[in-house]
């Protein structure tokens, strides 16, 4: 019997990673195919694939939006797709992997198999693998998020002891720790964007570029960090690919020449060329957001909210989230509140819809609605994916409508959020959310709107 292996990974390592693993395992079980799935989540690698298992496997399925070391799969057919496809078309991925022919143990063969499989699945799913800039950006975001979440929550905890902790107090100590974590977010973001582009040689210039981006000389914020990461990565990659040295000096290239030249070039460009424009852009953006006016605030909240629900954890969702998280470094907290509220309402609205009109959903969907409620309370928008994938024409417009209204109301109510994650648990921390009662009302209204629109668009199960 043919054995299959799989690897799943998403930028945040919270939801998509495990939902894809579950979908693949269920599909394999339905087809009576042995399958082991390695998950690369926020807590690390779980259920790791061993060399012996790889040697015995017929093919490998990689459902990931972050970098995966594929060299260990040399000689094995590889089906490679974005992580969302691991959730949506798990059965098709299993069939595709089984249909692959065994290859000889060479990395070239493995690469060819991977490319072929990727094209087949792209045609099947009507999508292409997320490559290039998006992949590199998400690699930076995934490595940055633990710092942001930890730092943001610790800062929020510090305010339990007062909005302005006294020097030397425990609250002030927590605030210092939280700010230290948050201070690393931009360098880590830039460093791992560069790492995704150029590998290990890109890490040093990326970290330095990110540090310069938040220095007083540049003050480029998250935008500067993103730009520094791409700049450093491509400079390092260019040096690796095109800088030729005599054989006697080749050993110096990775440990001396590339780090020296890439860090120097990145630093000079950031300070002498990009620093002024980045400073102006971020200063203008911060000033605009702080004095946005009620009408523009509502529009911005609606846009960010709609993006959170449009693909439920995909590129639009991640762009809105990354934008809002980046603004935390500039002490702009309104968009973060709008984004988290809007990310909670899709799963919550689906749950409420199953409660209000159960005849519109089958038994399995009603049970899944209960799970979606828990995920929604935890700010895991991906809890809505099974419903959106099963009936996108009706479900996605309802989710976008509810989330857009939620985001707009959050901004209209002047709600703020210091912690970039946590859902209802972050809301329970004193002073973590500004105007918490109206903020909660925005989430409740958005949940109700989502449920009403969804039930208006859905038809009873019996009439389908």
């Amino acid at each position: 019997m043919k054995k299959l292996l799989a690897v799943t990974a998403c930028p945040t390592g919270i939801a998509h990673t495990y939902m894809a693993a579950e979908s693949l395992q269920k599909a394999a079980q339905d087809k009576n195919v042995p399958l082991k799935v390695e998950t690369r989540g926020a807590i690390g690698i779980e259920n790791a694939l061993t060399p012996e298992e790889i040697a015995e496997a017929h093919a490998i399925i990689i459902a990931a939006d972050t970098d995966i070391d594929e060299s260990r799969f040399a000689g094995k057919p590889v089906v490679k797709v974005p992580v969302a496809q691991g959730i949506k078309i798990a059965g098709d991925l299993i069939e595709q992997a089984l249909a692959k022919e065994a290859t000889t143990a060479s990395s070239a063969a493995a690469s060819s198999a991977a490319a072929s499989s990727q094209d087949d699945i792209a045609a099947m799913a009507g999508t292409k693998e997320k490559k290039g800039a998006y992949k590199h950006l998400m690699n930076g975001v995934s490595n940055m998020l633990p710092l942001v979440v930890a730092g943001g929550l610790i800062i929020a905890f510090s305010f339990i002891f007062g909005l302005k902790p006294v020097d030397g107090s425990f609250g002030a100590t927590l605030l210092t720790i939280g700010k230290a974590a948050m201070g690393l977010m931009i360098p880590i973001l830039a460093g791992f964007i560069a790492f995704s582009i150029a590998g290990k040689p890109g890490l040093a210039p990326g970290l330095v570029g990110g540090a310069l981006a938040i220095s007083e000389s540049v003050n480029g914020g998250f935008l500067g960090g993103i730009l520094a990461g791409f700049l450093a990565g491509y400079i390092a990659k260019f040096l690796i690919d095109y800088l030729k040295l005599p054989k006697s000096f080749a050993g110096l290239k990775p440990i001396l020449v590339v780090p020296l030249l890439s860090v120097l070039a990145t630093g000079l460009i950031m300070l002498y060329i990009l620093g002024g424009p980045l400073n102006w852009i971020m200063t203008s953006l911060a000033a605009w957001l702080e004095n946005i006016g009620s009408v523009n605030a509502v529009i911005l909240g609606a846009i960010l909210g709609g993006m959170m629900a449009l693909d439920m954890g995909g590129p639009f969702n991640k762009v809105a989230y990354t934008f809002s998280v980046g603004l935390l470094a500039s002490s702009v907290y309104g968009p973060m509140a709008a984004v988290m509220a809007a990310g909670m309402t899709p799963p919550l609205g689906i749950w409420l819809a199953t409660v209000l009109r159960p005849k519109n959903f089958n038994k399995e969907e009603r049970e899944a609605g209960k799970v979606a409620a828990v995920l929604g309370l935890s700010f895991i928008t991906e809890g809505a994916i099974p419903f959106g994938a099963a009936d996108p024409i009706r479900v996605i417009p309802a989710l976008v409508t509810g989330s857009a209204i939620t985001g707009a109301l959050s901004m209209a109510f002047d709600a703020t959020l210091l912690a970039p994650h946590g859902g209802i648990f972050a809301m329970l921390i004193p002073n973590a959310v500004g105007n918490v009662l109206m903020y909660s009302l925005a989430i409740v209204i958005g949940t109700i709107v989502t449920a009403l629109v969804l039930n208006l668009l859905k038809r009873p199960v019996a009439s389908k």
Side-chain angles (χ1 to χ4, degrees):
M1 180 180 293
K2 294 179 178 179
K3 298 180 180 180
L4 300 179
L5 300 176
V7 180
T8 62
C10 67
T12 58
I14 296 174
H16 272 76
T17 299
Y18 301 102
M19 295 173 71
E22 184 179 355
S23 295
L24 288 167
Q25 288 168 333
K26 185 176 184 299
Q29 186 177 3
D30 292 343
K31 298 177 184 295
N32 197 30
V33 176
L35 172 70
K36 179 179 178 180
V37 184
E38 173 184 292
T39 55
R40 293 173 167 255
I43 60 175
I45 300 173
E46 298 177 273
N47 211 26
L49 306 179
T50 66
E52 293 77 16
E53 290 169 334
I54 294 172
E56 295 175 359
H58 172 74
I60 318 293
I61 299 171
I62 298 177
D65 284 339
T66 58
D67 285 327
I68 300 295
D69 180 14
E70 298 178 44
S71 62
R72 55 182 172 149
F73 305 134
K76 295 292 180 179
V78 177
V79 177
K80 187 177 179 183
V81 295
V83 67
Q85 301 309 313
I87 302 170
K88 297 176 182 178
I89 57 169
D92 293 332
L93 295 177
I94 298 294
E95 292 292 343
Q96 185 69 23
L98 291 173
K100 287 294 173 182
E101 295 294 332
T103 62
T104 58
S106 70
S107 57
S111 299
S112 176
S116 176
S117 298
Q118 181 183 330
D119 291 342
D120 291 340
I121 296 301
M124 181 191 309
T127 186
K128 295 280 179 103
E129 184 200 0
K130 300 175 184 69
K131 293 182 179 180
Y134 176 78
K135 179 182 177 183
H136 304 320
L137 175 61
M138 288 302 103
N139 193 62
V141 170
S142 66
N143 285 282
M144 173 192 75
L145 273 181
L147 285 167
V148 181
V149 173
L153 288 173
I154 291 172
I155 290 174
F157 283 132
S158 75
F159 292 133
I160 294 175
F161 302 92
L163 290 176
K164 293 184 178 180
V166 180
D167 289 345
S169 67
F170 186 66
T173 300
L174 290 179
L175 185 60
T176 300
I177 296 171
K179 286 184 175 179
M182 292 291 287
L184 289 172
M185 61 179 275
I186 301 301
I188 293 297
L189 170 67
F192 281 92
I193 289 174
F195 180 86
S196 178
I197 296 169
K200 190 176 179 180
L203 192 56
L207 291 170
V208 172
L212 290 172
I214 58 174
S215 67
E216 292 184 4
S217 301
V218 177
N219 192 28
F222 77 98
L223 182 60
I226 293 172
L227 194 57
F230 282 103
L231 174 67
Y234 285 114
I235 288 175
K237 184 172 176 57
F238 176 84
L239 293 172
I240 294 166
D241 292 343
Y242 297 103
L243 181 62
K244 306 300 180 184
L245 295 177
K247 288 186 178 181
S248 57
F249 293 99
L252 296 176
K253 183 176 177 179
I255 63 171
L256 175 61
V257 179
V258 172
L260 173 63
L261 295 180
S262 60
V263 169
L264 183 61
T266 300
L268 291 174
I269 293 173
M270 289 296 296
L271 291 172
Y272 284 116
I273 299 176
L274 300 178
L278 282 171
N279 191 332
W280 179 82
I281 290 172
M282 288 305 299
T283 301
S284 301
L285 177 60
W288 178 73
L289 288 169
E290 289 174 1
N291 303 282
I292 192 172
S294 58
V295 175
N296 288 333
V298 168
I299 294 173
L300 177 63
I303 292 172
L304 292 174
M307 290 174 69
M308 288 299 293
L310 185 61
D311 51 8
M312 298 161 283
F316 286 99
N317 175 288
K318 290 296 185 293
V319 167
Y321 182 73
T322 303
F323 170 77
S324 302
V325 167
L327 290 175
L328 295 179
S330 302
S331 300
V332 179
Y333 304 113
M336 188 72 254
V339 159
M340 189 169 86
M344 294 170 67
T345 53
L348 289 172
I350 285 173
W351 161 75
L352 184 59
T354 64
V355 172
L356 294 178
R357 294 194 69 182
K359 65 180 181 180
N360 281 0
F361 305 88
N362 59 37
K363 182 179 179 181
E364 185 180 24
E365 289 174 328
R366 292 194 295 271
E367 291 300 315
K370 298 174 184 177
V371 177
V374 176
L375 295 176
L377 290 172
S378 304
F379 180 39
I380 299 178
T381 316
E382 290 88 341
I385 286 178
F387 295 85
D391 190 7
I393 301 300
R394 296 180 178 85
V395 173
I396 292 179
L399 303 186
V400 171
T401 301
S403 289
I405 289 174
T406 304
L409 288 175
S410 176
M411 293 293 285
F413 295 153
D414 199 25
T416 57
L417 178 65
L418 298 177
H421 217 292
I424 193 173
F425 305 104
M427 294 168 61
L428 297 176
I429 301 173
N431 302 317
V433 179
N435 204 1
V436 66
L437 291 179
M438 298 305 289
Y439 185 61
S440 301
L441 179 62
I443 295 173
V444 170
I445 292 174
T447 298
I448 293 172
V449 169
T450 300
L452 293 178
V453 175
L454 180 57
N455 279 330
L456 181 66
L457 298 177
K458 291 277 283 186
R459 293 172 295 170
V461 173
S463 68
K464 292 181 182 178

